[in-house]
Amino acid sequence: MVRELEQRILLLYTNQKRDADVILKQQSAQTSDKMPILRQMRDLANAMRQAFSGRGDLDEFGRLLHEGWELKRSLGFGISDDRIDGWYETARKAGAQGGKLLGAGGGGFLLIMAPRERHSSIREALGHPRELDFQVDRLGSRIVFVS
């Protein structure tokens, strides 16, 4: 199942830099106002776990990933911008099931999930952005660089 998920993922560099600290401070200041959405996101994480680990349904996982995109965008906070939203919508029209902006938002990396046979169409539609290899790390998060 993990291997199939890895094969469905495109990890794209948006070529945008952002000040994550500003976005994170804004999120912290407005968190209480957004609790209903945050609770929906929490519940969505459980549904995604069930789709992946329980049923092994990657199409459902992709649909839930898209639902998460919509919820996250509804928070505001500068999480996305017109350019990233354009990339995401273009990818969806080309066959992407869902996606996630990685990091604090406003740029960085865009993870797109799509059936492998749609990858070429998505790359073409997005103008062949810089792509990074994606692989699930079975050891979890680790610090790889500290300056």
Side-chain angles (χ1 to χ4, degrees):
M1 179 61 66
V2 172
R3 181 75 180 127
E4 187 179 344
L5 175 67
E6 290 173 337
Q7 291 175 349
R8 289 191 185 203
I9 299 296
L10 292 169
L11 183 58
L12 310 172
Y13 181 56
T14 65
N15 206 28
Q16 286 186 243
K17 298 189 177 28
R18 77 255 189 232
D19 185 348
D21 191 49
V22 171
I23 294 168
L24 291 170
K25 282 180 183 173
Q26 186 180 11
Q27 286 177 354
S28 292
Q30 297 177 10
T31 295
S32 61
D33 297 339
K34 305 292 184 174
M35 285 309 290
I37 296 169
L38 294 170
R39 286 187 185 98
Q40 284 182 278
M41 291 170 68
R42 177 203 58 205
D43 296 343
L44 186 64
N46 287 329
M48 292 177 79
R49 182 178 47 81
Q50 274 301 317
F52 183 77
S53 299
R55 295 184 303 278
D57 186 346
L58 287 180
D59 290 329
E60 174 68 359
F61 186 85
R63 187 192 70 71
L64 293 169
L65 189 63
H66 173 66
E67 190 176 324
W69 173 275
E70 295 295 332
L71 286 170
K72 188 87 171 196
R73 280 193 65 247
S74 74
L75 290 172
F77 305 138
I79 286 169
S80 188
D81 62 24
D82 290 342
R83 182 171 175 265
I84 300 298
D85 290 344
W87 272 33
Y88 184 75
E89 288 307 314
T90 298
R92 292 267 301 159
K93 288 176 185 169
Q97 296 166 298
K100 179 160 179 47
L101 195 55
L102 304 180
F109 296 90
L110 180 62
L111 179 143
I112 296 289
M113 182 175 169
R116 194 163 178 79
E117 62 270 13
R118 303 303 307 156
H119 286 195
S120 292
S121 298
I122 293 168
R123 287 181 188 108
E124 182 73 29
L126 294 176
H128 298 278
R130 183 173 170 205
E131 188 175 340
L132 287 83
D133 290 332
F134 176 85
Q135 192 172 28
V136 174
D137 186 337
R138 284 141 178 96
L139 297 177
S141 297
R142 291 170 283 156
I143 296 173
V144 289
F145 178 76
V146 177
S147 60

